Amino acid sequence: MKNSLKNNTLNIKNAGGLALILVPILLTYVIEIIAYFADFALVFVLNNYLGLDIDYDNTEAFSGIAPINTNLMLFLYAMLCMIIFGWWYMLINGSTFPEGNTDSGKNGIRSFFTKKLPLMILFGYSFQLLIDGILKLLRKLFPSLLEEHDNTISSLTDKGSFFLIITVVILTPVAEELIFRAVTLHFCRKYMSDMAAIIVSAVLFGLYHSNPVQMAYAFIAGMILGFLAVKTGSIAVPILMHIIINASAYLVPSVLFDSPVTTVLTIIASCAVIYLVYFIVHKNLQDTDNKENEEKQSGKRSENNTQKNKAPRN
């Protein structure tokens, strides 16, 4: 009877824990609604009481209940997410990620950025080139499939607003990493293995991006960012990688995709660079693990020798 009650209690706790994994992504929809109406109210006040002339450039959100300024809404949404999930992260900061191989405090993170930053830039830019190249080929084969995706991306990249670029390149990566790697991944790791937690948080990250094409490559990006979070034990590393990837979207030259030949060559080159970076980092992690194991074994031998020397002699 006692064992049955204990098992039921554990099942309830596990179910509650798994439900808690969904809370962050559900909360983002609430924040989006708040940002939507805050955007409408703010633009209305600025235009009517302060004499500004801010356009309502989108009337389709939430079935056109109220017109919005897209740039301002994205900014408000990102800021609200940073405040709410940043506060949540601070509450669990002491146990968000265990100490990783390359992160042992401020000195460890500084050393990581110094040594790995060029590799991170290479990887992030190559990842963006790879995605753009694949999408270019798919666009020729299935133009209708990418129509929604292209409209979404062009609304973020074609306007050229400095305000929008700052939001997309810096604020959005920080907000999304706090949501999915700092909070969601934290709760996932409480109830499953690290690999399962990375996959689940990546799936949620993909679903968060709503349209099918973005879901696919957001899932892959989520796997990479989750791996970085777990391996380094720091939210700063996936944030930086996310910023690099988003910034790269503005830096990809269209000439690379002018023809099928250059597109394929760009894809091959991107894959080669990504593999090279992976190989270097993987080897470095193996060397670090081996060094740590050797130090542990050396420490144990020293401890055993000390104990032998202290042992009483007959």
Side-chain angles (χ1 to χ4, degrees):
M1 184 69 178
K2 286 183 179 180
N3 288 335
S4 177
L5 287 173
K6 187 177 180 180
N7 289 334
N8 288 335
T9 303
L10 288 173
N11 289 334
I12 291 171
K13 285 183 177 179
N14 288 335
L18 292 173
L20 189 59
I21 291 169
L22 299 176
V23 170
I25 193 170
L26 294 175
L27 182 57
T28 62
Y29 293 105
V30 177
I31 296 171
E32 186 176 1
I33 294 171
I34 294 170
Y36 173 80
F37 287 105
D39 173 271
F40 170 72
L42 187 58
V43 174
F44 179 83
V45 170
L46 291 174
N47 284 349
N48 289 277
Y49 294 97
L50 296 180
L52 299 182
D53 186 24
I54 300 174
D55 292 333
Y56 292 113
D57 61 1
N58 190 334
T59 58
E60 297 179 0
F62 294 100
S63 301
I65 296 173
I68 62 168
N69 179 277
T70 307
N71 292 5
L72 181 59
M73 181 182 167
L74 290 173
F75 173 79
L76 291 173
Y77 173 75
M79 291 300 296
L80 285 171
C81 285
M82 287 170 63
I83 292 168
I84 293 169
F85 288 98
W87 171 76
W88 198 345
Y89 171 70
M90 287 175 66
L91 290 180
I92 59 177
N93 188 35
S95 58
T96 303
F97 300 115
E99 185 175 319
N101 288 332
T102 57
D103 176 29
S104 55
K106 292 182 179 178
N107 292 332
I109 285 295
R110 191 178 297 114
S111 174
F112 179 83
F113 282 141
T114 303
K115 295 178 180 178
K116 301 294 192 300
L117 182 57
L119 292 176
M120 290 179 71
I121 293 172
L122 266 178
F123 186 95
Y125 189 73
S126 297
F127 179 78
Q128 186 63 53
L129 282 176
L130 175 62
I131 296 301
D132 284 359
I134 293 172
L135 292 179
K136 183 70 175 181
L137 294 179
L138 289 175
R139 196 172 288 112
K140 290 183 178 296
L141 299 172
F142 313 102
S144 59
L145 177 66
L146 274 80
E147 186 175 351
E148 182 185 352
H149 169 269
D150 290 345
N151 290 336
T152 302
I153 297 302
S154 63
S155 69
L156 299 176
T157 56
D158 291 351
K159 293 180 181 179
S161 163
F162 178 75
F163 183 72
L164 178 63
I165 292 172
I166 292 298
T167 301
V168 172
V169 172
I170 298 176
L171 301 184
T172 297
V174 174
E176 290 180 352
E177 291 313 302
L178 287 171
I179 297 166
F180 292 99
R181 257 58 68 179
V183 177
T184 302
L185 184 58
H186 164 77
F187 288 116
C188 287
R189 294 181 75 194
K190 278 191 168 185
Y191 301 98
M192 56 191 77
S193 67
D194 283 350
M195 182 52 68
I198 290 170
I199 292 171
V200 170
S201 63
V203 168
L204 293 174
F205 185 59
L207 293 173
Y208 171 80
H209 285 80
S210 69
N211 80 68
V213 176
Q214 274 186 296
M215 283 182 189
Y217 64 75
F219 167 74
I220 298 170
M223 290 287 291
I224 295 166
L225 296 167
F227 175 80
L228 285 174
V230 170
K231 273 295 180 183
T232 65
S234 169
I235 192 63
V237 177
I239 284 176
L240 179 60
M241 178 59 80
H242 200 152
I243 288 173
I244 292 168
I245 292 172
N246 280 21
S248 298
Y250 292 91
L251 302 173
V252 173
S254 59
V255 68
L256 294 176
F257 309 112
D258 279 348
S259 70
V261 174
T262 58
T263 301
V264 171
L265 289 175
T266 299
I267 291 173
I268 294 172
S270 300
C271 289
V273 173
I274 288 171
Y275 178 77
L276 178 62
V277 172
Y278 167 78
F279 177 79
I280 293 170
V281 172
H282 182 67
K283 188 175 185 306
N284 182 264
L285 288 174
Q286 281 187 326
D287 292 342
T288 302
D289 288 339
N290 292 336
K291 186 177 178 181
E292 287 181 355
N293 290 332
E294 288 176 4
E295 288 175 354
K296 286 179 182 178
Q297 290 175 0
S298 177
K300 286 181 180 180
R301 284 195 296 267
S302 299
E303 187 178 342
N304 291 335
N305 291 333
T306 302
Q307 289 176 352
K308 286 179 182 180
N309 293 332
K310 287 182 178 180
R313 298 180 181 178
N314 294 329

